[in-house]
Amino acid sequence: MIAVFVNCATVIVGSLLGCLFARKITKAFSDVVSTGAGIISLMLGLQMAMKYDSIICLALCLILGGLLGTLIDIDGAILKFGKKLEGLVSRKKQEPATNATAATDATADTRSQKNFAFAFLNASVLFCVGSMAILGSFQAGIDHDYTLIFTKSILDGFMAIVFAASMGIGTLFSFLAILVYQGALTLLSSFIAPYISDLMLTELTACGGAMIIMIGFNLLSIKNIKTANFLPGLLFVVGYVLLKNFIPLP
């Protein structure tokens, strides 16, 4: 688990540096950072998505996953979780205020909560959907080889700086997703690894890449996509590839 803790630490440090950086720049420069983060997300997502083996698998799993995620409203659940997280870390003093001031504060708080959850969600997806998270966790859990996770940790740390500077402190709390996801993969690696084939990693990476493209669209304000609602697509990919071992699927 030491590699997972290191990964969490780099994201925390990177996020703190990004937030400090954001406080010292104007809105114009902040917009530049957000645009840069969006372009980087698009480039990374396209690089991952184009590794698909079956476009039918990618399309089918992504659409079915989006439909299921929308049905159970994963995005809304994460937004609520983000609000709770922000409430736990917020230490704002409640002072008497006029009606106008109270209305303004309420609007600002609502916007802040949405930004917090938005940052938490997008950073969590970015740091967890790649094949490095899966392979690195397996290497750490089975062979005690931390090279891949340490490499991922460095990359995540730099991305955390950019994301925190553009989206805020919610980025920092994506370490919880890393801790749970990669921690579970590491601890259960000896049981899970036999079922993870190269084909599954390829299709998971492609599906994850499509979601990172969605993050890029959101950051660039091209289209407002509820990325979290597409997360079940990863489970559909696993099911599709496992079923392909018994049925000749395209």
Side-chain angles (χ1 to χ4, degrees), residues 44-80:
L44 179 61
L46 284 169
Q47 183 183 46
M48 292 171 60
M50 293 305 293
K51 293 181 180 179
Y52 67 84
D53 182 77
S54 169
I55 189 63
I56 294 177
C57 172
L58 177 59
L60 186 64
C61 294
L62 198 63
I63 293 171
L64 289 177
L67 290 173
L68 178 59
T70 301
L71 180 65
I72 60 181
D73 193 18
I74 295 177
D75 190 88
I78 293 180
L79 179 59
K80 291 179 181 177

Side-chain angles (χ1 to χ4, degrees), residues 42 69 78 110 126 177 216 235:
L42 282 180
I78 293 180
T110 300
L126 178 69
L235 297 178

Side-chain angles (χ1 to χ4, degrees), residues 5 19 22 42 62 72 80 103 107 109 116 127 129 135 138 148 166 173 188 216 225 227 230 233 244 247:
F5 294 142
C19 289
L42 282 180
L62 198 63
I72 60 181
K80 291 179 181 177
T107 302
D109 287 345
F116 187 100
F127 298 145
V129 297
L135 284 175
F138 287 170
L148 194 55
S166 62
F173 289 89
L188 300 174
I225 303 174
T227 310
F230 289 86
K244 196 171 183 178
I247 302 175

Side-chain angles (χ1 to χ4, degrees), residues 20-225:
L20 289 174
F21 173 74
R23 291 178 182 177
K24 298 180 181 296
I25 60 177
T26 64
K27 185 181 185 303
F29 284 113
S30 179
D31 290 341
V32 171
V33 174
S34 295
T35 301
I39 294 297
I40 291 171
S41 297
L42 282 180
M43 292 174 63
L44 179 61
L46 284 169
Q47 183 183 46
M48 292 171 60
M50 293 305 293
K51 293 181 180 179
Y52 67 84
D53 182 77
S54 169
I55 189 63
I56 294 177
C57 172
L58 177 59
L60 186 64
C61 294
L62 198 63
I63 293 171
L64 289 177
L67 290 173
L68 178 59
T70 301
L71 180 65
I72 60 181
D73 193 18
I74 295 177
D75 190 88
I78 293 180
L79 179 59
K80 291 179 181 177
F81 181 64
K83 291 178 181 179
K84 290 182 179 179
L85 270 180
E86 188 176 30
L88 290 174
V89 301
S90 176
R91 297 181 180 277
K92 295 178 181 178
K93 296 180 180 180
Q94 296 182 354
E95 297 178 353
T98 63
N99 291 337
T101 303
T104 302
D105 290 344
T107 302
D109 287 345
T110 300
R111 191 186 306 116
S112 174
Q113 289 168 349
K114 288 182 179 178
N115 290 339
F116 187 100
F118 180 79
F120 169 73
L121 162 64
N122 288 305
S124 296
V125 172
L126 178 69
F127 298 145
C128 293
V129 297
S131 59
M132 289 182 74
I134 300 175
L135 284 175
S137 298
F138 287 170
Q139 287 183 0
I142 298 173
D143 302 325
H144 300 291
D145 181 357
Y146 307 134
T147 305
L148 194 55
I149 285 292
F150 285 162
T151 302
K152 176 181 179 294
S153 299
I154 295 172
L155 296 175
D156 288 353
F158 281 108
M159 284 303 297
I161 294 175
V162 177
F163 266 48
S166 62
M167 296 188 296
I169 194 63
T171 304
L172 183 150
F173 289 89
S174 62
F175 86 88
L176 294 172
I178 295 173
L179 183 63
V180 173
Y181 177 67
Q182 289 184 194
L185 286 177
T186 301
L187 294 175
L188 300 174
S189 56
S190 59
F191 300 100
I192 300 175
Y195 302 98
I196 305 295
S197 62
D198 290 339
L199 177 61
M200 186 178 294
L201 281 174
T202 297
E203 300 295 7
L204 284 172
T205 297
C207 190
M211 294 179 198
I212 293 178
I213 292 174
M214 296 177 194
I215 293 174
F217 282 172
N218 286 334
L219 288 171
L220 293 171
S221 300
I222 296 175
K223 180 177 177 61
N224 183 24
I225 303 174

